[in-house]
Amino acid sequence: MLWLYVMALGIVAGIAPDAGLSSKVDYLSRTAFSFIVASWLVADARKRREPLCYDYDSFAFFAWPVVLPVYLFRTRAGARFLHCSVLRASGWLRCLRRWWYS
């Protein structure tokens, strides 16, 4: 699902690179990304039979930049920290792209 999100965002950004994303598309993009990250986190916890607190998915949706690294360190002892780094880098690249075209 994350690859589909990245492809869709690339297509939308490629169609109108000078105009940038409208505020509605930007809001939908941020919401979709948070939803994908929270869904993956909860699905991974179920697969690994990790106990999560009640309503952890909502917490992960709103605070994924903090929750995701903590979850990855707790469950994988740093082995998958690369995934978190890639997600973080994609956020920074998005900010740089926005700054470059403004």
Side-chain angles (χ1 to χ4, degrees):
M1 231 167 128
L2 183 60
W3 290 108
L4 183 63
Y5 165 79
V6 170
M7 287 176 33
L9 187 62
I11 290 169
V12 168
I15 290 173
D18 296 334
L21 299 176
S22 70
S23 61
K24 290 180 183 179
V25 172
D26 186 45
Y27 175 74
L28 286 173
S29 172
R30 291 174 189 261
T31 305
F33 186 72
S34 295
F35 178 74
I36 290 169
V37 169
S39 298
W40 174 83
L41 198 142
V42 171
D44 187 69
R46 285 183 185 148
K47 178 180 159 187
R48 295 179 179 275
R49 295 191 174 113
E50 287 286 325
L52 297 177
C53 65
Y54 179 74
D55 211 19
Y56 193 80
D57 50 352
S58 296
F59 183 57
F61 177 80
F62 290 110
W64 72 264
V66 175
V67 173
L68 185 64
V70 170
Y71 174 77
L72 290 175
F73 274 121
R74 192 181 70 177
T75 58
R76 291 166 176 82
R80 296 268 178 127
F81 187 68
L82 178 64
H83 289 291
C84 181
S85 300
V86 169
L87 292 176
R88 202 65 151 149
S90 69
W92 283 109
L93 289 174
R94 187 174 180 193
C95 289
L96 285 174
R97 185 183 141 287
R98 188 180 252 178
W99 173 76
W100 183 265
Y101 287 115
S102 64

